[in-house]
Amino acid sequence: MIIAVDLHIHTALSPCADDDMTPNNIVNMALIKGLDAIAITDHNSCDNVEAVIKVAGDRLLVVPGMEVQTREEVHLLCYFDDLDKLIHFDGIIRRHLTKILNKPEVFGHQYIMNELDEVTGEREELLISSVDMAIDELVEKVRKYSGVVVPAHVDRPSYSILSQLGFIPPDLGFRMLEISQDYGYLAAKYPQMSYIHSSDAHSLGQILERECFIDVADYSVAEVLNYLKG
């Protein structure tokens, strides 16, 4: 089964995302653009994932996820096969967040929303800073909950595993890398890797059209994660 996906989307919980990145707006835009599955991957938090899942219902597959910034300032996409596992993982991330408070007038709001797009709260800790966890420790925690880790936007000059470390540690067992644009040079350098293209959408217009396709055995979150294992 071939499905169209965008597996890196931020909601209004991420301070760098537009305030109109609400659960309903994201789901409806994804449907307008003809997507079959999306992932919600806010910075160091998952507070809006449940609302997006409720809005989507059976109209759109939503993969529970989070984009975590490690101590090395590497962005890693962390995906889980159910919401409960993500919530348990979120508890670990909360304990490792810095104590720096967000300044909405500088960084943007960090809105928690329900399935009606109502603001039910706002995270006080700055979510776009590094958590106090090294990359290997983070990968271990994700896999403890049967999650999958994909290094984010590895073709970018900042906050990627290649920009920060200069290489992909072989002992971490990565098989899939996320790219945002052209990856021909990466495919030549890392031919053993598989690649997925995502939008890293911070605004509604950035959500992908039907341009990234994956082949899955059935239409389920578990099968999307199997694909991401590479």
Side-chain angles (χ1 to χ4, degrees):
M1 177 184 294
I2 305 297
I3 61 174
V5 303
D6 187 349
L7 301 180
H8 189 168
I9 296 176
H10 293 268
T11 76
L13 176 62
S14 294
C16 42
D18 290 352
D19 289 348
D20 64 358
M21 291 294 278
T22 68
N24 282 275
N25 284 348
I26 290 171
V27 169
N28 288 329
M29 182 61 76
L31 292 171
I32 288 170
K33 293 197 171 186
L35 296 179
D36 302 302
I38 62 172
I40 299 302
T41 52
D42 281 309
H43 291 291
N44 297 331
S45 180
C46 70
D47 288 324
N48 285 344
V49 173
E50 184 174 10
V52 176
I53 291 174
K54 288 180 177 179
V55 170
D58 59 2
R59 300 180 298 160
L60 181 71
L61 196 65
V62 178
V63 179
M66 184 188 301
E67 183 176 21
V68 179
Q69 181 173 311
T70 69
R71 189 182 298 149
E72 303 88 348
E73 296 189 335
V74 173
H75 284 194
L76 297 176
L77 295 166
C78 307
Y79 301 104
F80 298 86
D81 58 12
D82 70 54
L83 182 60
D84 286 341
K85 291 177 182 176
L86 173 60
I87 291 173
H88 283 295
F89 174 72
D90 180 75
I92 296 173
I93 296 301
R94 285 173 186 260
R95 294 195 294 272
H96 288 82
L97 280 172
T98 64
K99 303 304 180 184
I100 301 172
L101 296 180
N102 182 37
K103 295 181 179 179
E105 69 278 8
V106 176
F107 301 108
H109 291 283
Q110 299 180 150
Y111 288 136
I112 302 170
M113 296 182 169
N114 63 20
E115 65 272 22
L116 301 177
D117 289 355
E118 297 169 333
V119 176
T120 60
E122 188 167 357
R123 287 293 294 271
E124 295 183 351
E125 317 96 315
L126 181 62
L127 296 176
I128 53 172
S129 57
S130 293
V131 300
D132 186 21
M133 295 176 69
I135 184 171
D136 54 344
E137 183 182 2
L138 179 73
V139 170
E140 178 186 358
K141 297 296 185 185
V142 174
R143 291 174 179 165
K144 176 183 177 182
Y145 291 102
S146 304
V148 177
V149 181
V150 176
H153 40 67
V154 297
D155 53 334
R156 292 183 185 172
S158 60
Y159 298 113
S160 73
I161 195 168
L162 292 178
S163 69
Q164 302 308 110
L165 302 185
F167 71 109
I168 299 172
D171 57 318
L172 294 181
F174 294 130
R175 294 290 179 268
M176 181 73 67
L177 303 176
E178 185 206 53
I179 52 95
S180 56
Q181 296 179 20
D182 177 49
Y183 70 103
Y185 70 99
L186 288 173
K189 188 173 183 179
Y190 300 102
Q192 76 278 16
M193 294 289 182
S194 298
Y195 298 86
I196 189 165
H197 169 46
S198 303
S199 70
D200 189 11
H202 287 70
S203 63
L204 291 169
Q206 293 174 341
I207 295 174
L208 290 185
E209 306 282 345
R210 289 181 62 84
E211 54 193 279
C212 178
F213 299 91
I214 67 174
D215 190 357
V216 293
D218 59 62
Y219 188 56
S220 67
V221 171
E223 272 302 304
V224 173
L225 263 61
N226 280 338
Y227 180 89
L228 293 175
K229 291 176 182 177

Short mmCIF file of all heavy atoms in Angstrom, two decimals, residues 6 19 30 33 48 54 63 66 71 73 82 87 91 104-105 114 118 126 130 134 156 165 168-169 185-186 198 230:
data_model
loop_
_atom_site.label_atom_id
_atom_site.label_comp_id
_atom_site.label_asym_id
_atom_site.label_seq_id
_atom_site.Cartn_x
_atom_site.Cartn_y
_atom_site.Cartn_z
N ASP A 6 3.49 13.25 5.56
CA ASP A 6 4.35 14.34 6.03
C ASP A 6 4.55 14.09 7.51
O ASP A 6 3.64 14.30 8.32
CB ASP A 6 3.70 15.71 5.78
CG ASP A 6 4.64 16.86 6.12
OD1 ASP A 6 5.70 16.60 6.73
OD2 ASP A 6 4.33 18.02 5.77
N ASP A 19 0.60 30.66 15.31
CA ASP A 19 -0.47 30.40 16.26
C ASP A 19 -1.68 29.74 15.61
O ASP A 19 -2.52 29.15 16.30
CB ASP A 19 -0.91 31.71 16.93
CG ASP A 19 0.14 32.24 17.91
OD1 ASP A 19 1.08 31.49 18.23
OD2 ASP A 19 0.00 33.41 18.34
N ALA A 30 -3.99 19.09 5.81
CA ALA A 30 -3.43 17.81 5.36
C ALA A 30 -4.41 17.07 4.45
O ALA A 30 -4.01 16.48 3.44
CB ALA A 30 -3.06 16.94 6.56
N LYS A 33 -4.60 18.76 1.08
CA LYS A 33 -3.42 18.47 0.28
C LYS A 33 -3.31 16.99 -0.11
O LYS A 33 -2.37 16.60 -0.79
CB LYS A 33 -2.17 18.92 1.03
CG LYS A 33 -2.09 20.45 1.16
CD LYS A 33 -0.71 20.93 1.52
CE LYS A 33 -0.62 22.44 1.42
NZ LYS A 33 0.75 22.95 1.62
N ASN A 48 -0.10 18.55 22.34
CA ASN A 48 -1.19 18.72 21.36
C ASN A 48 -1.44 17.49 20.49
O ASN A 48 -2.31 17.53 19.62
CB ASN A 48 -0.90 19.93 20.47
CG ASN A 48 -1.15 21.25 21.18
OD1 ASN A 48 -1.79 21.28 22.23
ND2 ASN A 48 -0.63 22.33 20.63
N LYS A 54 -7.70 13.16 17.89
CA LYS A 54 -9.16 13.22 18.04
C LYS A 54 -9.80 13.90 16.84
O LYS A 54 -10.84 13.46 16.34
CB LYS A 54 -9.53 13.94 19.33
CG LYS A 54 -9.26 13.14 20.59
CD LYS A 54 -9.67 13.94 21.83
CE LYS A 54 -9.47 13.14 23.10
NZ LYS A 54 -9.84 13.91 24.33
N VAL A 63 0.58 9.90 13.46
CA VAL A 63 1.64 9.21 14.19
C VAL A 63 2.04 10.06 15.39
O VAL A 63 2.41 11.23 15.23
CB VAL A 63 2.86 8.97 13.29
CG1 VAL A 63 3.98 8.27 14.07
CG2 VAL A 63 2.48 8.15 12.06
N MET A 66 7.50 13.48 18.56
CA MET A 66 8.12 14.62 19.23
C MET A 66 9.47 14.87 18.57
O MET A 66 10.14 13.92 18.16
CB MET A 66 8.31 14.33 20.72
CG MET A 66 8.87 15.49 21.54
SD MET A 66 9.29 15.00 23.25
CE MET A 66 7.72 14.42 23.87
N ARG A 71 21.51 17.24 24.11
CA ARG A 71 22.56 18.08 24.71
C ARG A 71 23.53 18.60 23.65
O ARG A 71 24.08 19.70 23.77
CB ARG A 71 23.30 17.27 25.77
CG ARG A 71 24.27 18.06 26.63
CD ARG A 71 24.98 17.13 27.60
NE ARG A 71 24.03 16.51 28.51
CZ ARG A 71 24.20 15.30 29.04
NH1 ARG A 71 25.25 14.55 28.72
NH2 ARG A 71 23.31 14.81 29.89
N GLU A 73 22.74 19.55 20.77
CA GLU A 73 21.94 20.39 19.87
C GLU A 73 21.63 19.68 18.56
O GLU A 73 21.57 20.28 17.49
CB GLU A 73 22.61 21.75 19.61
CG GLU A 73 22.73 22.59 20.87
CD GLU A 73 23.19 24.02 20.59
OE1 GLU A 73 23.84 24.24 19.55
OE2 GLU A 73 22.86 24.90 21.41
N ASP A 82 1.84 4.26 19.86
CA ASP A 82 0.58 4.67 20.49
C ASP A 82 0.83 5.87 21.40
O ASP A 82 1.97 6.16 21.80
CB ASP A 82 -0.12 3.53 21.23
CG ASP A 82 0.58 3.08 22.49
OD1 ASP A 82 0.85 3.92 23.36
OD2 ASP A 82 0.88 1.88 22.63
N ILE A 87 3.33 9.60 25.85
CA ILE A 87 3.09 10.36 27.08
C ILE A 87 4.09 9.94 28.17
O ILE A 87 4.62 10.78 28.91
CB ILE A 87 1.64 10.18 27.55
CG1 ILE A 87 0.69 10.90 26.57
CG2 ILE A 87 1.45 10.71 28.97
CD1 ILE A 87 -0.77 10.66 26.83
N GLY A 91 7.10 12.33 29.89
CA GLY A 91 7.42 12.50 31.31
C GLY A 91 8.91 12.52 31.55
O GLY A 91 9.41 13.28 32.41
N PRO A 104 7.19 34.75 25.44
CA PRO A 104 6.32 34.73 24.26
C PRO A 104 6.54 35.90 23.31
O PRO A 104 6.43 35.74 22.09
CB PRO A 104 4.91 34.74 24.85
CG PRO A 104 5.06 34.19 26.22
CD PRO A 104 6.41 34.65 26.69
N GLU A 105 6.87 37.06 23.86
CA GLU A 105 7.08 38.23 23.01
C GLU A 105 8.35 38.10 22.17
O GLU A 105 8.51 38.80 21.17
CB GLU A 105 7.13 39.50 23.86
CG GLU A 105 8.34 39.64 24.75
CD GLU A 105 8.24 38.89 26.08
OE1 GLU A 105 7.28 38.12 26.25
OE2 GLU A 105 9.12 39.10 26.93
N ASN A 114 -7.19 21.95 22.74
CA ASN A 114 -8.03 20.76 22.68
C ASN A 114 -8.53 20.55 21.25
O ASN A 114 -8.16 21.29 20.33
CB ASN A 114 -9.19 20.84 23.68
CG ASN A 114 -10.14 21.99 23.38
OD1 ASN A 114 -10.19 22.53 22.26
ND2 ASN A 114 -10.93 22.39 24.38
N GLU A 118 -9.51 25.20 21.15
CA GLU A 118 -9.53 26.11 22.30
C GLU A 118 -8.20 26.02 23.04
O GLU A 118 -7.66 24.92 23.24
CB GLU A 118 -10.67 25.75 23.25
CG GLU A 118 -12.05 25.89 22.64
CD GLU A 118 -13.13 25.27 23.49
OE1 GLU A 118 -12.84 24.33 24.26
OE2 GLU A 118 -14.29 25.73 23.39
N LEU A 126 10.79 27.06 28.21
CA LEU A 126 11.14 27.27 26.81
C LEU A 126 11.40 25.91 26.16
O LEU A 126 12.31 25.18 26.57
CB LEU A 126 12.39 28.15 26.71
CG LEU A 126 12.86 28.46 25.30
CD1 LEU A 126 11.81 29.25 24.53
CD2 LEU A 126 14.18 29.23 25.33
N SER A 130 17.87 22.82 24.46
CA SER A 130 18.30 21.43 24.56
C SER A 130 17.83 20.80 25.87
O SER A 130 17.80 21.47 26.92
CB SER A 130 19.82 21.33 24.48
OG SER A 130 20.30 21.68 23.21
N ALA A 134 22.19 13.25 26.48
CA ALA A 134 23.04 13.02 25.32
C ALA A 134 22.29 12.20 24.29
O ALA A 134 21.30 11.51 24.59
CB ALA A 134 24.33 12.31 25.74
N ARG A 156 20.65 20.05 6.63
CA ARG A 156 20.70 21.46 7.03
C ARG A 156 22.00 21.78 7.78
O ARG A 156 22.58 20.89 8.43
CB ARG A 156 19.50 21.82 7.89
CG ARG A 156 18.19 21.82 7.12
CD ARG A 156 17.05 22.26 8.00
NE ARG A 156 15.78 22.16 7.32
CZ ARG A 156 14.60 22.33 7.90
NH1 ARG A 156 14.55 22.63 9.20
NH2 ARG A 156 13.48 22.21 7.22
N LEU A 165 27.66 16.82 14.88
CA LEU A 165 28.65 15.78 15.17
C LEU A 165 29.63 15.56 14.03
O LEU A 165 30.75 15.09 14.25
CB LEU A 165 27.95 14.45 15.50
CG LEU A 165 26.95 14.45 16.66
CD1 LEU A 165 26.45 13.03 16.91
CD2 LEU A 165 27.58 15.01 17.93
N ILE A 168 27.55 10.18 11.41
CA ILE A 168 26.44 9.44 11.99
C ILE A 168 27.01 8.28 12.79
O ILE A 168 27.59 7.35 12.23
CB ILE A 168 25.49 8.91 10.89
CG1 ILE A 168 24.92 10.09 10.10
CG2 ILE A 168 24.36 8.08 11.50
CD1 ILE A 168 24.14 9.69 8.88
N PRO A 169 26.92 8.33 14.11
CA PRO A 169 27.51 7.28 14.94
C PRO A 169 26.96 5.90 14.57
O PRO A 169 25.75 5.66 14.68
CB PRO A 169 27.09 7.67 16.37
CG PRO A 169 26.84 9.14 16.29
CD PRO A 169 26.27 9.38 14.93
N TYR A 185 23.90 14.05 -2.57
CA TYR A 185 25.25 13.89 -2.01
C TYR A 185 25.24 13.00 -0.78
O TYR A 185 26.20 12.28 -0.50
CB TYR A 185 25.85 15.26 -1.68
CG TYR A 185 25.22 15.96 -0.51
CD1 TYR A 185 25.80 15.92 0.75
CD2 TYR A 185 24.02 16.66 -0.66
CE1 TYR A 185 25.22 16.56 1.83
CE2 TYR A 185 23.43 17.30 0.42
CZ TYR A 185 24.03 17.26 1.66
OH TYR A 185 23.44 17.88 2.72
N LEU A 186 24.13 13.03 -0.01
CA LEU A 186 24.03 12.18 1.17
C LEU A 186 23.86 10.72 0.77
O LEU A 186 24.45 9.82 1.38
CB LEU A 186 22.85 12.62 2.03
CG LEU A 186 23.02 13.93 2.79
CD1 LEU A 186 21.72 14.31 3.46
CD2 LEU A 186 24.13 13.81 3.83
N SER A 198 10.35 15.32 4.61
CA SER A 198 9.26 15.90 5.40
C SER A 198 9.33 17.42 5.32
O SER A 198 10.35 17.98 4.91
CB SER A 198 9.35 15.45 6.86
OG SER A 198 9.34 14.04 6.97
N GLY A 230 13.72 1.48 8.56
CA GLY A 230 14.65 1.39 7.45
C GLY A 230 14.94 -0.02 6.99
O GLY A 230 14.51 -1.00 7.54
#
